[in-house]
Amino acid sequence: MTQAPAATRATRRQHDREIVMLAVPAFGALVAEPLFVMADSAIVGHLGTAQLAGLGVASALLTTAVSVFVFLAYATTAAVARRVGAGDLQAAIRQGMDGIWLALLIGATVIAVVLPSAPALVDLFGASDTAAPFATTYLRISSIGIPAMLIVLAATGVLRGLQNTKTPLYVAISGFVANGALNVGLVYGADLGIAGSAWGTVIAQWGMAAVYLVVVVRGARRHGASLSPDASGIRASAQAGAPLLVRTLSLRAILLIATAVAARLGDADIAAHQIILSLWSLLAFALDAIAIAGQAIIGRYLGADDPQGARAACRRMVQWGIAIGVVLGLLVILSRPLFLPLFTSDPTVKDTALPALIMVALSQPICGVVFVLDGVLMGAGDGPYLAGAMVVTLAVFAPVALLVPTLGAGLTALWGAMTLMMTVRMLTLLLRARSGRWVVTGATR
């Protein structure tokens, strides 16, 4: 009677160690990424309002272009982790190289689209006549770094699949420091203005990509994996990533709809919405770190033909997600008197944001379950289900959100719709997790 509980506790401790080992460095790397934009904004902001406005437009376009292809990290993590679990490191790294070649191909295509169409894209985002030239300059130069960022995504997926999240953390920190130093030197030292900021970021991005490539190439040589492009492998990587692309696009559509609805509610509402959305995104980094651990751990267990281990790890990570969600929710409620004044001194904006902020706090345990199960199913290679579930979620959210201004409701109602969206996601993911259909073992799904 005493042996089983002891074994259970030992298994939980093992899972806890793995989750912490993978999630903590992953969280650091995730937080470092938005610091690139913050550093650029701080440096360019001193050049003038038009330059900063131009940077804002260009950064929004670039962030969208890169985030759409985040499947390069997610799909690669799952595929590599499966092969690691199966004990075939050569095939694992070969799979990772296919993802990196796919990233290069996508990156080259994006450059070919962005360079000639930069003025039209800037105009589409509504840049003013004074900001548009700066936005176009920054966008054209920075587009050269897009292949590098996509390589970073794919290579990060390789290392995560290999159960290594520390190297991405070190690279992210180094890239942030290099980006800041290069921006200061080129913007002010070389007097290149906003073009200097763009070139500094591009150089830092390609530096990060080069470090990742060195690490992956060394691993390939050590295990005898081929570095040359393989058409069938690249095609398989693209096919695995396609459903995750649909998932990501659906999620981006939800966020865009929410912002569009907030804009129709009035200036105070859209200002408060942007504040809350920034906090919501920050909280997502903490929960996404557990999801990343889930991708790597679940993929490894399934690759090792250990369905019981995969299910046990899933249960433990869900417990982690709920616990961290509760903690984050409490922190939001307790820190709200300090948080809101950081962003605005307008009492109307504060009053508008406060009840919506409480709604965000209460939804954090739900978000914890969603992020964890999202990571678990990604690790299992269950992309088609994730795509379908997100399309269903979008179909539920869109009409509810669009009714908010029609019914004369405010920002709190909009964030109620956002909470409904996360609840629908949670239900679809729980149904799949409990069905067990995601538990497909073997080196490939």
Side-chain angles (χ1 to χ4, degrees):
M1 294 292 291
T2 58
Q3 188 66 28
T8 301
R9 287 195 297 271
T11 300
R12 286 180 177 175
R13 283 195 297 269
Q14 177 188 345
H15 290 319
D16 291 344
R17 283 194 298 269
E18 286 186 328
I19 293 167
V20 171
M21 181 183 69
L22 293 171
V24 172
F27 174 69
L30 288 169
V31 171
E33 290 174 9
L35 293 179
F36 271 80
V37 177
M38 290 180 63
D40 287 2
S41 299
I43 294 166
V44 172
H46 292 285
L47 294 174
T49 301
Q51 288 90 334
L52 184 58
L55 172 67
V57 172
S59 294
L61 285 163
L62 290 163
T63 301
T64 299
V66 173
S67 64
V68 161
F69 299 112
V70 72
F71 70 83
L72 288 166
Y74 294 160
T76 304
T77 298
V80 171
R82 274 184 176 270
R83 286 160 176 78
V84 168
D88 192 348
L89 288 177
Q90 183 186 67
I93 296 176
R94 175 65 259 180
Q95 179 72 41
M97 285 304 306
D98 292 335
I100 290 172
W101 280 112
L102 177 62
L104 269 173
L105 290 172
I106 294 174
T109 303
V110 173
I111 287 181
V113 172
V114 171
L115 279 178
S117 62
L121 291 170
V122 167
D123 184 62
L124 184 65
F125 264 60
S128 67
D129 292 339
T130 54
F134 297 110
T136 301
T137 297
Y138 191 92
L139 180 60
R140 277 182 166 156
I141 296 172
S142 294
S143 67
I144 301 171
I146 288 177
M149 291 311 296
L150 298 186
I151 290 172
V152 167
L153 285 176
T156 299
V158 176
L159 296 182
R160 288 173 182 170
L162 293 171
Q163 320 294 297
N164 176 2
T165 56
K166 289 184 179 179
T167 299
L169 172 62
Y170 300 147
V171 175
I173 292 173
S174 301
F176 170 69
V177 173
N179 178 65
L182 286 165
N183 270 257
V184 171
L186 294 174
V187 171
Y188 298 114
D191 198 25
L192 294 178
I194 195 169
S197 176
W199 280 117
T201 301
V202 167
I203 294 168
Q205 289 167 341
W206 276 107
M208 293 170 65
V211 172
Y212 274 116
L213 288 174
V214 167
V215 172
V216 174
V217 167
R218 284 179 177 173
R221 288 176 175 169
R222 185 163 55 249
H223 297 288
S226 173
L227 298 173
S228 59
D230 176 67
S232 61
I234 295 172
R235 188 164 51 251
S237 294
Q239 289 171 346
L244 297 181
L245 176 60
V246 173
R247 168 200 168 274
T248 301
L249 290 173
S250 299
L251 181 57
R252 296 294 300 183
I254 287 170
L255 297 178
L256 286 173
I257 290 170
T259 300
V261 169
R264 292 179 61 188
L265 297 176
D267 290 347
D269 293 88
I270 186 61
H273 176 74
Q274 288 304 113
I275 293 171
I276 295 170
L277 189 61
S278 66
L279 175 64
W280 192 76
S281 300
L282 179 63
L283 297 173
F285 285 135
L287 298 172
D288 204 26
I290 307 175
I292 288 169
Q295 293 169 29
I297 292 169
I298 294 299
R300 192 189 74 234
Y301 273 117
L302 294 178
D305 290 318
D306 187 356
Q308 291 182 344
R311 290 190 180 94
C314 174
R315 286 193 296 271
R316 190 56 176 165
M317 281 184 284
V318 169
Q319 292 169 357
W320 270 75
I322 294 171
I324 292 178
V326 170
V327 171
L328 292 176
L330 290 173
L331 287 175
V332 170
I333 292 173
L334 294 174
S335 65
R336 68 188 189 279
L338 301 174
F339 174 76
L340 288 174
L342 291 176
F343 290 86
T344 181
S345 57
D346 187 331
T348 304
V349 175
K350 290 181 183 179
D351 291 342
T352 303
L354 185 58
L357 199 60
I358 293 174
M359 182 75 70
V360 169
L362 294 175
S363 69
Q364 287 309 296
I366 296 173
C367 294
V369 175
V370 168
F371 275 83
V372 167
L373 290 181
D374 213 36
V376 166
L377 297 184
M378 284 183 191
D382 205 11
Y385 182 83
L386 289 172
M390 189 61 79
V391 170
V392 169
T393 302
L394 172 60
V396 172
F397 170 79
V400 174
L402 293 172
L403 275 175
V404 169
T406 303
L407 297 175
L411 189 67
T412 304
L414 175 60
W415 276 93
M418 289 288 285
T419 301
L420 171 65
M421 178 270 294
M422 294 302 291
T423 303
V424 172
R425 288 187 69 189
M426 181 181 70
L427 292 175
T428 58
L429 294 172
L430 282 172
L431 284 172
R432 188 63 168 181
R434 289 178 177 177
S435 74
R437 293 177 183 173
W438 59 277
V439 184
V440 180
T441 59
T444 58
R445 184 178 171 85

